[in-house]
Amino acid sequence: MLHFSRWKTAFIWLAVLISVVIASPNLFTDKQLEGMPNWYKHNKVTLGLDLQGGSHIMLKIERSDIVKERLETIVGDVRTQLRDANIKYSGLAGNGQQIQVRISDPAQYEAAKTALRDLTLPVSSGTLVGTSITEVTMSDGGDSLLRLNLTDDGIAYRLSSAVSQSIEVVRRRVDEVGTTEPLIQRQGSDRIIVQVPGLQDPQRLKSLLNQTAKLSFRMVDTTMPAQEAINGRPPATSEVLYSQDDPPVPYLVERRALVSGDNLVDSQASFNQQNNEPVVTFRFDSRGAQRFAQATQQNVGKPFAIVLDNQVISAPVIREPIIGGSGQISGNFSVQGANDLAVLLRAGALPATLTVVEERTVGPSLGSDSINAGLMASAIGAIGVVIFMFIFYGFFGLLANIALIVNIVMLLAVLSIIGSTLTLPGIAGIVLTIGMAVDSNVLIYERIREEVRSGKPLISSLENGFTRAFATIMDANITTLIVASVLFYMGTGPVKGFAVTLAVGIITTVFTAYTLTAWMFGVWVRKSRPKHLPKGIRTAVFDGKDIPFMRYRRYVFILSGAIMLVCIGGFATKGLNLGIDFQGGSVIEVKAKQGDADIADIRDRLSQLNLGEIQAQGFGTSQDVLIRIQAQDGGENAEQSAITLVRGELEDKYEFRRVEVVGPAVSGDLTLTSTIGIALAMFAIMIYIWVRFEWQFALGAIISMVHDVVFTIGLFVFLGIEFNLTSIAAILTIIGYSLNDTVVIYDRIRENLRRYKKMPISMIIDVSLNQTLSRTILTGLTVMLALLSLYLFGGEVIRSFTFAMLFGVGIGVFSSVYIAAPVLIAFKLRSSGNDAEDEKADAKNGTIGGKDAVGGKPAI
C-alpha cells in the first residue's frame, strides 16, 4: 500500500500540478488576467449572482394564452373554410378547448365535415422522425352541430414550441441590453430560467422580458364612435383597444392587421427632426413594404392604429401613401422607452405572455460584501482546522494539512473544469468540505494507532491502517454523495451550487486522503525508517474510557422520544416560520444611502401601499433593513407590481441590495419537490446500507435520520427561524453527516460481530463506540469549528443555514451513538445474544470487559 511505482508517483503529482495550474487564475483579478492566454484565464470559477450581483428570473409561459390563441386561429380557419365552400353556418364560437359551429342547411352537413377535415390532420411533432400529433379532433354534436376539440397533446406540443421560440427571443432581447455571459435555459415544460450576472438595472430587464411585443398596423374603424361600441356591441370584425396615455383613450380598431411585426427587419431609436422628440424608426422587408404601401394607398385620409400588445401606441391619419418600406413610431417616448421599444421590435415578438414567477436580484455592493465574508469565513475555518489537526496529530497532522491544502486546490480546479458557478452556499460547501476532509485522515490515523497498540510492527500497522480504513471511508462518503445527488436533483440555483461543491469535495477528499497521504507516508517510511509512532500524536487521551453507552439507552430513548413528541406537537400547533420559498411573497434587503435606517418610517410609508402584512426589521448594521411582504392576491403579476410600488416609495433614500420574489406556482412546486427530495434521500440511503450491511442496520439508519430531521425541525419551530429552501439543504446535509458518522460506527460493529462470535450485542456496541470515540469527537469538532467560522463571519444571508448545520452536527453525533447503535439491539441483530446476556452486560459496573476491550482483546 505504501509502495508507489514511478508511474503512480508521476500520476499523483501530475494531477496535483495540473490542478494548481487550472485553479491558479482564481487568485488574480480579471484586470490582472487580461494579458494571459485565453486557455488560462478562462479557467477562473464563475461567481454566482449572490457574489457578483445580478438577476435570476424564472419566466412561465401561460398555457391559457396558448389555448386562447389556438382557439382564435381555429375559429378563423373554420370561418375561412366554410366560406370558401359556400356553406352557410351560425353560432361559430370557441370556449375552453372546444369550438362549435351549427350548419344552417342539414343537406350541407357532410360537405362541411369534408371542408373542415383538413383541420384535423396530424402535424409532425418535430421531436422524433416519423412521429405526429393530432391537434384537433372533430365530433358530431347532433342537430347539424359540429364540434372541434383541441387535444391535450396538441396544446402540449404548441406549448413546447412556444418555449423554444421564446428562449430565442429572450436571448436576443438580453443580448441587446449588452450584458455579459447570460444564462438562458428551459426548465420543465413551461418555464425559462434567465440569469444575468453583473446586471445593474434589473427593472429594465424585467420590463423587456415581460412584454410580448406583438406589433401590428391596423385600420381604425370609423363606422361608429368608440364610446358607442363600448356601451353597445362593436362590429364582429372590430374590437375596442386603449392607448398608453393617462387616462387611456379608447379606439375602435379592426381585428385584421394590415401588416404585422413579423415583417420588420430593423428598428432603431432616433429623434424627430421637427420637434426633437424620441421616436422609433422601422423598416419592413420587401413583402411587408409592398403590403404597407398598398394599404396606405387605399386608405389615404383615414386613421390607422399602431398596436403593441393590444395597446394603441399612436393612431395617425394617413396623409399620403408610404411606399418606401420605412416609417417612424411616435408616442411621447422617453429616450429609454424608445430604446427599449426598438430592442423589443428587433428581437421579435414572443409567441405568448411570459410571467415572472420568481425573481432573485442581488446588488453589486452586497455581492462584494458576500465575497469578502465568504473568503474570511473560509480562511478562518481552514486555519482553525489546520491548527486543530497539528495539535492532536503532530507530524501526522502536518501531512493531513498538506493533503487538505491540495484538496482545496483540486476542488477549485474541478469546479473550474466543469464550469460550475460558485455561490455563497457553494462557499459554505467548501468550508464544510474543509471540516469533513480530515475525517478520512482521522479514520486512517486511528486505525494505525489501533494496529500499533495491538503489538504489530509500525510498517505493518501503517499498511493495515490504510487498507482497513478504506472500506469505511468509501461507505461513509458514498452516503454523503447520495445526499449531494438528491440536493442537486431537487435544488435550484444556490442550493445546486452547494450540492456540486459538496459532491466534488467528497471525491477530491477521498483522493487526497487515501492516495496523496499514502504516498507521503511511503516517502516518510523510506527516508526515516521509523520504529515507533511520532510523539506528537495526542489522541490517546480518548483511550481506555470504557464508557457504558448501552447501559443508559432506555433512558435516552425515553428522553429522545419525549422531545420528539414535543417537536411534532410544536410543528402541528405552532408550525414553521415559512419563508417565501414555500408560501410565496417578497423579501427585500435595503441599505440607507445616508445615516441610519428609519425602520418606523419604512413601515409607515409601506403600510399606505395596501400590500397586506409588511414586516421591516433591522439586521447587520444600523443601515440595513430586511422587508418582508406577504404573498399578494392576483397571482405572479401582483407580486411584481408590489415590488414596483415598494421601489417607487423607497429608492430615493435606500439602496436595494437584494430582492427575492417567489410566486405561488413556484412555492407550490418547491414544497412538493422538497418533500420528495427528503423521502428520496432516506430511501436511497436505506437501500445502500441494506445492501452493504443488513436490514437491521438500514432500519436503524432510517430511525436515526428521522430523529435528526424531527429535532432540527423542532429547532426551527421553537426558535422561529425562517424555514426556506436552504433549510432543506441544511436538513439533507445534516442527514448526510449523521449517516457518515453512523456508517463509521456500523462498520466497526460489523467488524466486531465477525471477530467476537459469542459476545452479547450490547457489549459489542459499547466496544465499537469506544473504539471509534476519538474519531467521532475529532471529526465532530473539526466540522463544528469550520461551521462556527461560517456562522460568525459568513454573513447574514447564510447565517440561519449554518446555525441549523451547527445544531445538526451535534444532534447527528448524538443519534449515531444513542439512536442508530442501540436500535440494533431492539431488532435483535445477534440472535444468539439473548436479552438475558445483554442485561448482564448492562449490569456490569461501567466495565465493558477491561482495558483490553478498546484495544481489541475483550474479556468475556
Side-chain angles (χ1 to χ4, degrees):
M1 177 65 218
L2 298 181
H3 173 72
F4 286 82
S5 60
R6 289 184 177 179
W7 72 267
K8 285 184 179 180
T9 300
F11 170 77
I12 292 171
W13 285 104
L14 181 63
V16 174
L17 179 62
I18 291 174
S19 299
V20 170
V21 172
I22 294 174
S24 59
N26 295 287
L27 298 175
F28 305 103
T29 64
D30 291 336
K31 188 173 182 180
Q32 291 171 329
L33 292 172
E34 285 179 358
M36 300 291 183
N38 287 335
W39 65 266
Y40 179 76
K41 63 184 180 183
H42 286 167
N43 285 326
K44 193 170 183 179
V45 175
T46 303
L47 297 181
L49 301 182
D50 53 355
L51 293 178
Q52 64 169 318
S55 287
H56 163 101
I57 297 175
M58 181 186 292
L59 304 163
K60 178 183 178 183
I61 285 194
E62 296 299 332
R63 186 178 186 273
S64 58
D65 285 358
I66 301 295
V67 175
K68 180 182 177 182
E69 185 172 348
R70 289 302 296 154
L71 276 178
E72 292 176 353
T73 302
I74 299 298
V75 166
D77 290 343
V78 169
R79 182 182 293 114
T80 302
Q81 297 285 69
L82 294 180
R83 283 180 178 176
D84 290 346
N86 293 318
I87 297 172
K88 295 182 179 180
Y89 62 90
S90 63
L92 175 59
N95 186 33
Q97 292 183 207
Q98 186 180 88
I99 302 104
Q100 63 181 25
V101 60
R102 189 177 302 278
I103 307 304
S104 301
D105 185 358
Q108 292 184 309
Y109 185 73
E110 290 301 323
K113 290 176 65 175
T114 303
L116 299 179
R117 190 162 288 127
D118 286 348
L119 301 179
T120 65
L121 294 178
V123 296
S124 173
S125 69
T127 56
L128 193 64
V129 176
T131 60
S132 59
I133 291 173
T134 300
E135 287 194 87
V136 181
T137 60
M138 187 163 51
S139 60
D140 187 349
D143 194 20
S144 299
L145 188 69
L146 277 176
R147 290 195 176 101
L148 290 92
N149 296 285
L150 301 181
T151 65
D152 290 337
D153 288 343
I155 293 172
Y157 161 68
R158 291 288 173 176
L159 185 62
S160 177
S161 300
V163 171
S164 300
Q165 183 181 344
S166 298
I167 288 175
E168 294 307 314
V169 174
V170 167
R171 180 172 284 111
R172 289 196 294 267
R173 292 185 184 182
V174 173
D175 290 342
E176 288 279 359
V177 178
T179 56
T180 57
E181 298 183 3
L183 171 67
I184 303 167
Q185 64 185 23
R186 178 195 295 257
Q187 178 164 321
S189 61
D190 61 351
R191 297 182 187 180
I192 301 171
I193 294 291
V194 181
Q195 291 185 352
V196 187
L199 184 66
Q200 302 295 321
D201 189 2
Q203 291 302 110
R204 185 186 177 202
L205 176 66
K206 279 199 302 179
S207 65
L208 287 175
L209 299 181
N210 256 336
Q211 296 188 53
T212 310
K214 285 190 175 180
L215 182 73
S216 62
F217 297 83
R218 311 189 207 173
M219 293 305 300
V220 175
D221 189 342
T222 56
T223 58
M224 70 166 62
Q227 194 60 47
E228 184 180 335
I230 295 172
N231 297 333
R233 186 175 182 181
T237 57
S238 301
E239 62 180 332
V240 176
L241 299 179
Y242 290 86
S243 71
Q244 296 179 329
D245 301 315
D246 187 17
V249 177
Y251 290 89
L252 184 61
V253 180
E254 293 183 1
R255 294 180 184 273
R256 181 177 63 90
L258 301 174
V259 188
S260 72
D262 296 338
N263 298 116
L264 284 178
V265 293
D266 189 27
S267 62
Q268 298 290 337
S270 63
F271 292 92
N272 189 317
Q273 294 181 356
Q274 296 179 352
N275 54 24
N276 207 34
E277 289 183 353
V279 295
V280 176
T281 61
F282 60 86
R283 183 164 53 87
F284 289 118
D285 58 19
S286 58
R287 182 183 177 189
Q290 183 180 1
R291 293 176 62 185
F292 195 60
Q294 182 180 1
T296 53
Q297 283 173 346
Q298 296 173 354
N299 294 283
V300 172
K302 297 179 182 179
F304 78 103
I306 302 173
V307 180
L308 178 70
D309 291 345
N310 288 325
Q311 282 189 310
V312 177
I313 298 177
S314 61
V317 175
I318 301 173
R319 302 297 182 189
E320 58 185 15
I322 304 174
I323 58 176
S326 63
Q328 70 180 28
I329 304 172
S330 59
N332 298 321
F333 296 120
S334 64
V335 174
Q336 184 70 64
N339 277 321
D340 287 348
L341 178 57
V343 167
L344 291 171
L345 298 182
R346 280 200 304 272
L350 291 166
T353 303
L354 291 178
T355 303
V356 178
V357 295
E358 181 184 12
E359 175 197 354
R360 300 182 191 273
T361 299
V362 177
S365 62
L366 180 60
S368 176
D369 292 347
S370 297
I371 293 176
N372 296 333
L375 290 176
M376 178 178 292
S378 301
I380 293 175
I383 292 172
V385 170
V386 165
I387 294 174
F388 187 86
M389 286 298 292
F390 188 75
I391 289 174
F392 275 95
Y393 284 106
F395 175 70
F396 281 9
L398 177 62
L399 299 184
N401 290 334
I402 294 173
L404 176 62
I405 294 170
V406 173
N407 184 12
I408 297 172
V409 171
M410 296 189 79
L411 172 59
L412 289 175
V414 174
L415 292 178
S416 300
I417 291 171
I418 66 178
S420 177
T421 300
L422 185 63
T423 60
L424 194 56
I427 292 180
I430 293 176
V431 175
L432 185 62
T433 299
I434 291 172
M436 295 180 66
V438 299
D439 180 51
S440 299
N441 291 100
V442 171
L443 282 169
I444 293 169
Y445 294 169
E446 292 306 301
R447 275 290 190 178
I448 292 172
R449 285 205 317 112
E450 287 183 31
E451 295 292 320
V452 170
R453 287 166 55 208
S454 66
K456 295 179 181 178
L458 180 61
I459 305 301
S460 177
S461 297
L462 293 173
E463 292 274 359
N464 291 340
F466 276 93
T467 303
R468 293 188 175 183
F470 182 71
T472 305
I473 292 171
M474 292 305 298
D475 283 335
N477 283 287
I478 285 175
T479 53
T480 309
L481 193 60
I482 290 173
V483 171
S485 301
V486 173
L487 270 175
F488 182 81
Y489 160 75
M490 59 150 280
T492 59
V495 174
K496 273 193 175 181
F498 174 77
V500 170
T501 306
L502 186 61
V504 173
I506 290 168
I507 296 170
T508 56
T509 293
V510 172
F511 174 81
T512 54
Y514 196 73
T515 304
L516 181 62
T517 305
W519 182 88
M520 290 189 290
F521 267 85
V523 172
W524 173 61
V525 167
R526 289 195 304 272
K527 297 289 185 182
S528 302
R529 302 290 180 182
K531 301 296 183 183
H532 306 285
L533 287 175
K535 295 182 179 180
I537 300 176
R538 297 178 175 85
T539 55
V541 296
F542 303 109
D543 294 343
K545 299 302 180 185
D546 296 349
I547 302 173
F549 291 101
M550 292 304 98
R551 180 196 296 179
Y552 310 108
R553 67 180 184 274
R554 292 179 178 84
Y555 305 109
V556 174
F557 272 172
I558 293 171
L559 180 61
S560 295
I563 296 176
M564 287 178 70
L565 287 175
V566 171
C567 293
I568 294 171
F571 175 75
T573 56
K574 185 178 179 181
L576 290 165
N577 176 22
L578 294 176
I580 63 169
D581 291 327
F582 295 109
Q583 64 178 359
S586 308
V587 171
I588 304 170
E589 182 181 329
V590 298
K591 183 175 183 178
K593 293 179 179 179
Q594 293 181 347
D596 294 341
D598 188 342
I599 298 177
D601 178 61
I602 290 176
R603 290 196 187 106
D604 291 340
R605 294 171 69 176
L606 297 186
S607 63
Q608 300 173 12
L609 300 179
N610 296 320
L611 299 177
E613 182 183 354
I614 293 178
Q615 300 175 7
Q617 62 187 58
F619 79 103
T621 69
S622 59
Q623 292 180 292
D624 300 315
V625 181
L626 197 67
I627 302 169
R628 301 177 190 275
I629 305 172
Q630 73 172 49
Q632 302 295 301
D633 296 331
E636 277 79 7
N637 289 327
E639 303 289 350
Q640 298 301 319
S641 300
I643 294 297
T644 303
L645 289 173
V646 173
R647 279 187 180 274
E649 189 68 32
L650 298 180
E651 64 184 354
D652 58 330
K653 293 184 178 180
Y654 295 90
E655 172 195 352
F656 281 67
R657 290 162 60 87
R658 177 167 63 100
V659 177
E660 295 187 15
V661 182
V662 177
V666 174
S667 61
D669 292 347
L670 288 176
T671 302
L672 177 62
T673 306
S674 301
T675 305
I676 294 174
I678 292 178
L680 184 62
M682 288 187 172
F683 179 75
I685 290 171
M686 183 182 73
I687 295 298
Y688 178 80
I689 294 179
W690 196 327
V691 171
R692 287 289 292 138
F693 296 86
E694 295 180 41
W695 67 267
Q696 291 96 333
F697 289 95
L699 288 179
I702 289 296
I703 292 172
S704 174
M705 283 190 288
V706 171
H707 170 275
D708 296 341
V709 170
V710 171
F711 267 60
T712 307
I713 288 178
L715 176 77
F716 281 95
V717 169
F718 291 108
L719 294 186
I721 303 172
E722 181 182 299
F723 192 84
N724 50 35
L725 195 58
T726 57
S727 304
I728 296 290
I731 288 176
L732 283 171
T733 310
I734 289 166
I735 289 174
Y737 177 81
S738 176
L739 259 295
N740 184 301
D741 210 29
T742 298
V743 166
V744 170
I745 294 171
Y746 276 0
D747 192 78
R748 185 57 65 96
I749 291 173
R750 181 177 58 178
E751 182 181 325
N752 286 332
L753 282 169
R754 295 169 180 169
R755 182 181 299 175
Y756 310 121
K757 303 293 184 181
K758 297 182 179 180
M759 182 182 290
I761 182 63
S762 62
M763 187 178 290
I764 287 281
I765 294 174
D766 274 339
V767 169
S768 303
L769 290 173
N770 279 274
Q771 288 175 341
T772 56
L773 183 62
S774 56
R775 176 265 164 198
T776 300
I777 294 176
L778 292 174
T779 300
L781 288 177
T782 53
V783 172
M784 293 186 78
L785 187 64
L787 288 173
L788 186 62
S789 71
L790 201 62
Y791 176 74
L792 295 176
F793 306 105
E796 290 288 338
V797 177
I798 56 172
R799 183 151 293 170
S800 62
F801 170 75
T802 50
F803 179 74
M805 292 278 291
L806 274 168
F807 175 80
V809 167
I811 289 297
V813 171
F814 171 83
S815 67
S816 298
V817 174
Y818 273 113
I819 303 297
V823 161
L824 301 178
I825 300 175
F827 288 133
K828 301 186 183 302
L829 178 62
R830 169 166 282 182
S831 57
S832 60
N834 57 37
D835 294 339
E837 290 175 315
D838 287 334
E839 291 292 343
K840 291 178 181 178
D842 291 342
K844 290 187 177 183
N845 188 21
T847 303
I848 298 175
K851 190 172 183 178
D852 288 338
V854 180
K857 299 178 181 179
I860 303 176

